[in-house]
Amino acid sequence: MAIDITTRGTARINPIVECGDAQIRAHYRHLATVITVRGRIDATNVDQISEHARRFVLAKEPLVLDLSGVTSFAAAGIWLLCVLDGDCRAAGVDWTLIESASVSELLGDFDEDAMFPTARSVDQALHALADSNDQRRQALLPLFQKSA
């Protein structure tokens, strides 16, 4: 089990879930929920990974799916991405995919139907979310300014 230290100095247990040859862990960051998957994603574990990941699609809470630690990504993994994409769209949730080389290679073999929002790293995805939030605030600011 992994332990997260919160800003108040208290610890909370954040379990790593074993899904066959993959491990999945979700943790909450200031701007998004980050789901990290490491290991192999294939037909034997994709349903279990999908079921676990889909629990973290929360209304108005952006999601980052970090697959940078995935060493093998079978075609069955495309289903995981499509389902997660559909769930996020239905909930009105922004999400970002962080690809490993094996994920990128497989996605490159598919046409534009398998295009997902991506970033090079979790930090880059979180920065993009922060920038997007700032742009929304700037757009709304004139609505709240008082006229003299």
Side-chain angles (χ1 to χ4, degrees):
M1 290 194 165
I3 297 181
D4 275 353
I5 304 298
T6 64
T7 55
R8 294 188 180 125
T10 59
R12 68 173 187 246
I13 296 176
N14 198 358
I16 296 173
V17 177
E18 297 288 333
C19 300
D21 290 333
Q23 300 81 39
I24 185 170
R25 177 177 177 235
H27 54 280
Y28 298 95
R29 302 279 292 263
H30 174 66
L31 296 168
T33 299
V34 178
I35 301 172
T36 303
V37 181
R38 300 200 183 289
R40 301 171 52 95
I41 298 177
D42 56 32
T44 64
N45 64 2
V46 72
D47 289 336
Q48 189 179 7
I49 293 169
S50 175
E51 181 181 316
H52 188 71
R54 293 173 78 189
R55 296 182 324 148
F56 296 99
V57 176
L58 306 172
K60 301 189 183 197
E61 181 71 35
L63 183 79
V64 176
L65 181 62
D66 180 8
L67 301 185
S68 63
V70 171
T71 56
S72 176
F73 189 72
I78 298 291
W79 180 81
L80 163 68
L81 301 178
C82 290
V83 167
L84 200 59
D85 184 61
D87 286 356
C88 287
R89 286 177 193 262
V93 170
D94 291 331
W95 78 286
T96 307
L97 170 65
I98 313 303
E99 303 173 345
S100 69
S102 61
V103 173
S104 192
E105 182 179 323
L106 183 68
L107 288 178
D109 292 341
F110 287 85
D111 61 10
E112 290 183 16
D113 291 338
M115 297 294 287
F116 304 103
T118 61
R120 288 189 298 263
S121 69
V122 171
D123 285 340
Q124 184 187 44
L126 294 174
H127 283 294
L129 287 169
D131 290 346
S132 177
N133 287 345
D134 287 344
Q135 289 173 354
R136 279 190 278 252
R137 278 190 211 108
Q138 291 299 322
L140 292 174
L141 191 58
L143 298 174
F144 295 106
Q145 292 178 340
K146 295 181 182 179
S147 58

